[in-house]
Each structure stands twice: as C-alpha cells, then as structure tokens.
Amino acid sequence: MAVGKSVNRMDAVAKVTGRAEYTQDLYKPDMLVARYFRSTIAHGKVTLINVEKAKNLKGVEAVFTYEDVPENKFATAGHPFSLDPGHKDVEDRLLLSQDIRFMGDEIAIVVAHDEIIANKALKLIHVSYKEYKPLTFPEDILKKDARQIHKGSSNIVGEHEYAFGDDIKEAFKKADVVVQGKFKTAMVQHCHLENHISYAYMDDLDRIVIVSSTQIPHIVRRLVSEALNMPLNRIRILKPFVGGGFGNKQDMVLEPMVAFLTLKLDGRPVQINLSREECMLGTRNRHPFFIDVKTGIKKDGTIVARQMDAISITGAYASHGHAIISAGGSKQSSLYPHVATQFHARTLYANIPVAGAMRAYGSPQILYAVECATEDAARKIGMDSVEFRLKNIARQGDMNLLSGKRILSCGLTECLVKGKKFINWDSKVKEYKKYKTGPVRRGLGVACFSYASGTYPVCVEVAGVRIVLNQDGTVHVMVGATEIGQGSDTVVAQMVAQTLCLPYEHVMVVQAQDTDVSPFDTGAYASRQAYVVSNAVFKAASDLKDKILGHAGLMTQRQRKDLDIHNAKIIDVYTNENVMDMKTLAVDSFYHKERGGQLTSEISHKTTTNAPVFGCTFVDIEVDIPLCKIKINQIINVHDSGVILNPVQAGGQVHGGVFMGMGAALLEEMMIDTKTGRVYNNNLLDYKFPTFVDLPQIHHDFVETKEPTSGYGNKSLGEPPVITPPPAIRNAVLDATGVCINALPLSPHHLFTSFKKGGILDSKGDADV
Amino acid sequence: MTDQGFREIIFSINGKQRTLYIDIRSSLLEVLRNELGLTGAKEGCGVGECGACSVLVDDVLVDSCIYLAIWADGKAIRTIEGEAKKGKLSKVQQSYVKEGAVQCGFCTPGFIMASTSFTEKNKGESVTEDEIRKAHAGNLCRCTGYQNILKAVEKSIEP
C-alpha cells in the first residue's frame, strides 16, 4: 500500500545532490541576456525616450521600446480559458508601456551579450515623463474625478455581491448584540527562492521554444499564443524543476517577452533572469484588502448574521484581478454555513506593484477578517473562543448554501478538539489570568478556516494522465499536474503504485514538463492538483491494470476476472497462485510477434466536485509591551485534508504554510510610500521573512476523513496552512493585552502605535502598567 | 598575474586540482556555474542575503555570489556536487531526504553545505536546537518553515 506511507520524494536525491536542473541551470552557448528599463515614477506617461546611445554600445544587440511592441492588449492571469465571456480575464497589458502605472513599470528592454553590458546600456537610455499624482488610497482611487489608471476602467476592475441564508436585515433583527470591525491586510510577497526566469529560442523558422519557471505550462502556451497572435502548435513550453512559486508563477510574466525577443532576433536564444529586487517589484504580490465586518450574535453564542464589505487593491494591472477577492469571499459559506451572510466586494487599480495569485488566493485576507470578527463576537458575550466556534462551525452533512452542495466530509470539530488539547487550552486559560498585567503578558489564540480543493464550478477542472508499462514491468507516468516543489509528482506515483499494486520504486513520474508531450492539465494552483488528478490517476491506473490482466489472460488462457496484481506479480484470485511476474508479462506484451503491444492508458478527466477542507491554528504567545515584541511559545495547525497521502510530505506543507502565515502575521509587508508609490524594501534584507532563528518549532496534526468524491479520499492541503496563523496570533494578542489590532503585520512599529492608542504604553514607550 | 582584467587561478574543487584563467570581476559562483558547469549552487539574490549559493572555502561556509573567484586562488572549494561519493549520499544528504527537508529544492544545495559545515565542526559534540538554528540563519528557505531541516540536522549529527 503506497498511499498513506511516508515514501521519499521522487526528486529528493536529484535535489540533495544538486543535480536537479532548474531554468537557470540550463544554458545555450550563444544565449543573449535581456533586461528591462523600468520607470522611476509611479504614475505618468513617457513623453520622450532616447535609446540611441544604448543601441550603439558595443555588445548590445537590440533595444526595444513601447513603440516596437504589438498593440495587442493581453491578460496574464493563469486561469483556464472560460467559455463564459463574463469570466474573461481583463486584457490590460502590453509587452512594454508608454503609460506608467507603477514605479518599476516596463518601458523598454535591452538585449546584450551579457548582463554587465545590458546594465551599462540601461544607464544610457534617457526618458522624459509627464507625471500624475500616484493613486494609492481607496478614497483617492474612487474619487469621481480621479484619473483613470486604465482608460475606461473608472479604476474598478470588478465588483460583486452575494448573500446566502435568511434575509440579512431580518437576521440582524434576531441578534442580541452586533459587533463591528474594520480590518486591513498588508501587501506581502511570495519570495520563492528562485526568481522568475525564462528563455526562448526558435528550433525552426516559425516555432518558439520557451523554457520557463512556471506553475502553468499549458496555460502559458495559450496566453503566449494570444499575446503574440501565434498558433498553439508553434509554441512549446518546457518546465524544468521549479524553485517555488506560491502563486507568483501562476501568471504569465516573462514568457511573452522572451518569445517576442527571439522572434525579433532571428530565433536566437534570449534569457530574462530577474534580479531579486526586480522580482519583488515587478512580478506579483498578495492583494492588500480593506474589510468592514458586522456580526450579529445571540447571547447563547449563535452567530445569526454577518455582513462584509471588502476592497481589494490589485495595483497597476489586473492580473488575477477580481477573481482573488471573489474566491476569498466564497469560503466562509462552508466554514459558518448557518450564518445569514451578505458579502460585497470591489477590486481597484492603484499605482502600486501588481498583485496576483498568492497561496490561498484571497482567503488569508477574508478569513483573517472573519476570524478576528468571530473572536470579537465571542468576547463581547463572554464566551470561550473555542466553544463559540464549536457552536457555529460546519459539520458533515451541512449544506453549503452558496454552492448548493452538501459538505460530504468535515472534521473541523475534531480539529478544534485536537488543537485545544495540544495547546492545553483550559488550564492555560486559567494560568494566564495571572499574566494580563505587567510589561510581559501571555495569551492564547485560535482561528479556523475552510478552503476548497479546486476551482470548480468557477473554472473547468481537468487533469490528464498517461501511464505506460515499460519492458521490465516498471511504469512511467506523465501528468499535466505541475510539480513546483509541493510534492505533486510523489503523490501521483503513490496513487499509481497503489492502484497497480506495484512497489513505489517501480513507478517513475516524468519530472519535467513539455507541452509538446505532457498531457493537458491547467497546472499548480488552488491546491487542486492532488484532488483533481486523483480521479484521473485512478481511472488511468485501473484501465492499465485491466489491460495488463487482459494480456495475462491471453498468455495463460485464463479469464481476466480470475486474475489480479499483487506486489508486482500476477496472481490467481481464487488460489493466490503466483501466475507470473510483471516483467515476464511486459516482455511478452512488447515482443511477442502476434499478441499484445505497449500497454498504455491515457485519461483526461474532468472533476465536477470541489471538496471543502477545514482546519485551525492554536497559538500560545507572550507579548513584551515595552519592546513591542511577540514571542510565540507554541503553535499548532490541525487539518482535515481527507486521507493523508504522505504524512511526512504533508507535514512539510503545513510547516511551510504556518511559517509563511507567521511571517505575514508578525513581520512581512511590502512597504510603499503612499505619496510616491515607491517600494522601500524589495530585497531579502529589508523585506523581513522569517529566518531559522525567528520562529519556534512548528507543530501539526491531522484529522483524517475520507472524501468520497476523491480518487484516494484525499482533499487539498498546499495552501490552507497559511490562512489562520495571522488571525490566531492577533486573537492571542487581544487575549494577552486587551488591545484589538485590526491590521497586519503585528510588527513592532504597528504594535507600538496600537499599544499607545490602547493606553498600555505611554508616548515615550514606557509601559503603563 | 593579471592580463587585461584576466588572471590565472589554481584551486582545488571537490578534491581535484584545477587551473582557470578568469575574469577578475567574476564571483566564485559565476566561475563554478559558468566555467566549471557546477550548477548545484544557485543564485537566489546575488548579494549574500539568501545563502542559496553557499559553498565551503577551506571548510569555511561562504556565499559564493559575493566571494570573488580570485580569492579562491590556492584554496580548496567544496560544493554540493562533491558530497555524494561512489553513488552514496552523505549522511547530511540522507537525512534531508528521509526527514522531508526538501521541497522545491532551490535552497537545498546551500543548506546542505551549511549543515555539512556545522556537523563536521561539531562532530561528536552535543548541540542545542538554538545552535543549529544560528548556524543556518544565513540560509533562507520559503517552503519548509525550517522544521524538517531542523530534524534533518539533528539526525545528521547523531553518532
């Protein structure tokens, strides 16, 4: 049984030996280097550009400006194509732009023999601007006479509203108490260790090969074809090992440009390898949200009504646009399904860097506000935070009123019970009463979440799998599901091994992707892959098993139904007799002159379900008021992700998510000067994501349910761990200090301001205790 | 001896002597990757912030992206490529595989060199969790939360 076992990652040895090849490790001897010339203002228009000196520099092959690129505006979001025209992504991007919409916007590009020459050439480009006041605050962006960042957009990318449950006004009338809060989340960055990098060349007169660090090879192929108006069969995307993405590579970023450049330069190879500073400035970020929440509760602890109004800032270009807040706003219907809910959201353009997909896609913002508001509600009526949640959360069999689907598996109650026990909630609640005064205080926090296992029914969910039997009885598997470090290839191999009854070591998942040969799949996002691919793998492996047993029947004149596979051997199901090993069968199927052939199976499967997942964070903290510092004593995430396919690797996903969540809670923020639109900290020194010494041990646990709609009972896991650490930590700070801090991150300078406002710190920074 | 910005250096790389004629502006990382084809060490920032390019120079852990290649003249360099010998992973590498300390793998070669340096320095000693954390604080990982890396290092140091 391979599923449920902590087998080693397929690619672990390649990675620990340094042999795994990433895009930066692949090399064409005559490769040219391209670098962007970026704007130094956040809002304006280029009035004059002079690139002559740059063009004449020795070693420069070409310089292109906004005047040289196609006028064809394109979308970049890594969504599958939608048959519904209303779901089309916003096409607002050109390869290079004369209109400047954020500081760092791409105006021109230099192609040179090497990076040093390219950087010299950039300094020789002269540009004049007409400047406009950067629009960075929602109030300014939404003013009637505000300049339209994109002509005709009124600065609103999207807007929607939904309601479920009882009529919201009537529901609020039933409430004994109404609690309100205004919440704000920060713009944070993915900081995947491998920056964005792509190169392209032509292997024929009209065929472009793009090698790229992407989460979405097949989608990128379509988006490049749209951007450059080329047929799909003339574009080939190769995806080597990817050094992390977290959503930032679920977007077309460099690919159309390298394709354009190779087309312009007679098919010569051209690479763009963004510096860390450019990657943090010029790719994507997490949308900052402004969220108003009103919660109506009864004295007995029932939440009866919730009204939310949210604004998402997408920055200079739409990218994933309104889809983020739309997806983020849809998860509470499976978390608190009995609460009458009304949700209204808008997504706005702004003259700040572009926001796109990032781990958990809008949920870290919306559920942060929901779980802070839930905490405030519990405290208002004096009810225990865990009890209050247990009274209101979803249970198996509940109806998700937004999707109209019943929740078929839900272990959230058990997650809360496990987490509570681990953190020693009840006795610490009592013990910490002693620590609510003085300069150093202690508190406990909890928050829970629900998330999805894909994007259906908003987007198509399709997965492709091909399995072939090798001559020695081992198998090769090709999937369109994209490995970016999360371990997708490993769990696919486990699934195949399980259904074909082969040892895990006999299954090889092809490690790189090539759109010329990889089966179609939309890629790595929405924590969809293990769930969406599971039914495709199950069908393909079952089909191949049938073919294998059919061939065994031909060889032995037995009925297919009398045979089975057990540990890489064909057995008689009645007598358990060992009929033959897989190698004997495989050799016969390949080389017998009259019967058989290469036994293969290929399935493209559409998933029309979307299983909700659940979980929670419990945290125990210490707040040093004069130092404005939070110390996490203990933290645990408990997840219901269905059947856990590989406990060690699943634990790794949880640790990584909790770590990223703690970073967003305590430290991380893209700091933008609201007057000029300038980003202060687009590097790994000034953007503080946690190092090894900044965090405590990260604990995790699972409540295993069996999801009936999944091939192997599994549900999503990749993104969810990141969602609840920030609200749990905020709630713990509230517990410790009595101060409600409704903005992220809880970094020392924000704590200083809040503690002063909350009256526990005087203006000199002395604790008022 | 320099000649129009180029200079000859002699150093040992994973135990083998090499002579190269290099651009004096090159970083050690550039020479390893571009001249020697040793692409295990990665560039994640180019300015010594992330540690993905970590290698050992005379057994001292350095960020090879901000270490000039000419400084390596006469020194012994160890990179990730030299750690598995005769088809067998080093103990540190084995622990990383076993404990699930690898995800995207981009920081892994640098981390393994940091762990190798740490375990060799502390051979036979008992070390604290804090010491492990401090010794790896110059290497950033965005996937693992460092949790399984911590476990892997603990396992590597066990006798």
Side-chain angles (χ1 to χ4, degrees), chain A residues 63-321:
Chain A
V63 181
F64 300 98
T65 73
Y66 54 83
E67 286 169 351
D68 306 311
V69 297
E71 281 170 35
N72 177 32
K73 282 195 175 167
F74 54 85
T76 64
H79 292 143
F81 181 80
S82 179
L83 295 175
D84 172 7
H87 257 111
K88 221 172 166 193
D89 285 303
V90 181
E91 293 168 334
D92 63 2
R93 197 115 198 193
L94 294 169
L95 284 174
L96 296 167
S97 183
Q98 183 178 13
D99 289 301
I100 305 307
R101 300 184 172 99
F102 74 104
M103 196 178 284
D105 213 340
E106 292 143 8
I107 300 168
I109 193 156
V110 168
V111 187
H113 292 167
D114 64 39
E115 205 180 300
I116 294 174
I117 298 169
N119 284 337
K120 269 190 189 161
L122 289 179
K123 292 190 182 132
L124 299 174
I125 295 176
H126 291 285
V127 66
S128 312
Y129 302 107
K130 178 176 171 47
E131 288 192 49
Y132 309 115
K133 182 179 174 268
L135 300 171
T136 55
F137 289 112
E139 309 83 74
D140 293 338
I141 299 163
L142 285 169
K143 264 188 196 147
K144 270 221 167 93
D145 59 345
R147 184 171 186 274
Q148 293 182 349
I149 296 169
H150 290 266
K151 219 173 168 185
S153 74
S154 68
N155 293 338
I156 298 177
V157 182
E159 179 166 8
H160 83 295
E161 193 171 50
Y162 74 72
F164 64 79
D166 298 342
D167 176 76
I168 194 78
K169 275 190 191 148
E170 291 302 314
F172 269 112
K173 279 184 198 161
K174 285 184 214 154
D176 297 318
V177 188
V178 172
V179 182
Q180 300 200 55
K182 280 182 178 300
F183 301 91
K184 206 177 108 192
T185 63
M187 175 176 265
V188 298
Q189 226 269 334
H190 313 70
C191 299
H192 34 77
L193 262 275
E194 179 197 33
N195 290 310
H196 280 63
I197 176 170
S198 302
Y199 67 87
Y201 58 94
M202 297 179 76
D203 64 353
D204 196 341
L205 282 180
D206 56 6
R207 258 180 64 91
I208 300 176
V209 182
I210 304 171
V211 182
S212 189
S213 178
T214 176
Q215 300 175 216
I216 46 167
H218 279 286
I219 289 181
V220 159
R221 182 169 71 145
R222 175 178 56 82
L223 293 177
V224 170
S225 93
E226 285 171 6
L228 299 180
N229 203 11
M230 281 179 72
L232 278 180
N233 67 356
R234 292 193 187 160
I235 302 165
R236 177 182 176 199
I237 312 286
L238 298 173
K239 180 219 70 105
F241 282 101
V242 174
F246 311 111
N248 204 0
K249 295 168 183 172
Q250 189 205 341
D251 219 305
M252 176 174 73
V253 178
L254 304 176
E255 294 90 350
M257 180 51 92
V258 287
F260 167 79
L261 293 174
T262 192
L263 273 171
K264 285 280 177 188
L265 295 164
D266 281 333
R268 293 173 69 185
V270 185
Q271 184 199 62
I272 304 177
N273 181 7
L274 292 187
S275 68
R276 175 59 62 184
E277 292 74 15
E278 280 183 290
C279 191
M280 292 183 73
L281 183 71
T283 60
R284 307 289 181 264
N285 295 276
R286 193 193 287 293
H287 294 69
F289 280 17
F290 299 81
I291 311 158
D292 291 351
V293 189
K294 195 172 138 189
T295 309
I297 34 176
K298 283 189 175 172
K299 278 185 185 143
D300 71 353
T302 313
I303 311 177
V304 287
R306 184 163 270 151
Q307 198 169 19
M308 295 180 76
D309 193 0
I311 286 179
S312 161
I313 309 289
T314 200
Y317 295 93
S319 171
H320 284 249

Side-chain angles (χ1 to χ4, degrees), chain A residues 619-693:
Chain A
V619 66
D620 165 359
I621 65 163
E622 206 166 272
V623 186
D624 187 319
I625 295 168
L627 278 181
C628 295
K629 255 189 119 168
I630 296 167
K631 184 183 162 226
I632 295 174
N633 294 324
Q634 251 188 333
I635 188 162
I636 186 168
N637 259 39
V638 190
H639 289 256
D640 160 20
S641 283
V643 169
I644 298 302
L645 302 167
N646 183 322
V648 166
Q649 301 303 329
Q653 288 301 301
V654 179
H655 303 152
V658 173
F659 147 84
M660 214 179 241
M662 284 194 277
L666 300 176
L667 304 161
E668 294 181 35
E669 174 181 25
M670 289 294 275
M671 300 176 85
I672 302 170
D673 180 353
T674 50
K675 285 206 184 82
T676 61
R678 188 182 158 208
V679 176
Y680 289 123
N681 60 343
N682 54 323
N683 60 72
L684 296 177
L685 195 64
D686 299 316
Y687 181 90
K688 301 291 185 193
F689 89 66
T691 72
F692 220 132
V693 293

Side-chain angles (χ1 to χ4, degrees), chain A residues 6 8-9 11-13 15-22 24-27 114-116 120 188-195 241-244 246 273 275-277 358-359 483-486 648-649 651-653 655-657 659-660 663 668 683-687 689-699, chain B residues 23 25 29-30 33-34 38-52 80-85 87 89 92-109 111-112 129-130 132-151 153-154:
Chain A
S6 290
N8 294 338
R9 285 180 69 100
D11 53 12
V13 172
K15 286 175 174 174
V16 298
T17 51
R19 293 175 190 178
E21 287 183 316
Y22 299 78
Q24 70 169 223
D25 305 330
L26 302 166
Y27 179 71
D114 64 39
E115 205 180 300
I116 294 174
K120 269 190 189 161
V188 298
Q189 226 269 334
H190 313 70
C191 299
H192 34 77
L193 262 275
E194 179 197 33
N195 290 310
F241 282 101
V242 174
F246 311 111
N273 181 7
S275 68
R276 175 59 62 184
E277 292 74 15
M358 185 174 170
R359 198 173 198 166
E483 171 67 61
I484 61 164
Q486 78 283 53
V648 166
Q649 301 303 329
Q653 288 301 301
H655 303 152
F659 147 84
M660 214 179 241
E668 294 181 35
N683 60 72
L684 296 177
L685 195 64
D686 299 316
Y687 181 90
F689 89 66
T691 72
F692 220 132
V693 293
D694 297 319
L695 296 176
Q697 296 248 6
I698 301 167
H699 297 277
Chain B
D23 186 326
R25 298 171 299 180
L29 179 67
E30 286 168 325
R33 292 180 55 87
N34 306 338
L38 299 173
T39 56
K42 306 290 183 232
E43 181 174 301
C45 69
V47 290
E49 291 162 357
C50 76
I80 190 71
E81 285 85 354
E83 291 307 297
K85 291 185 181 78
L89 298 178
V92 172
Q93 286 172 317
Q94 281 175 39
S95 307
Y96 270 67
V97 172
K98 193 96 194 46
E99 299 303 324
V102 179
Q103 287 188 30
C104 86
F106 202 78
C107 73
T108 306
F111 254 105
I112 288 181
E129 184 186 319
D130 270 0
I132 296 177
R133 289 184 182 273
K134 272 183 197 146
H136 292 80
N139 291 71
L140 294 176
C141 169
R142 193 59 159 164
C143 296
T144 62
Y146 310 107
Q147 185 63 36
N148 287 351
I149 298 179
L150 177 70
K151 265 199 206 164
V153 180
E154 282 169 347

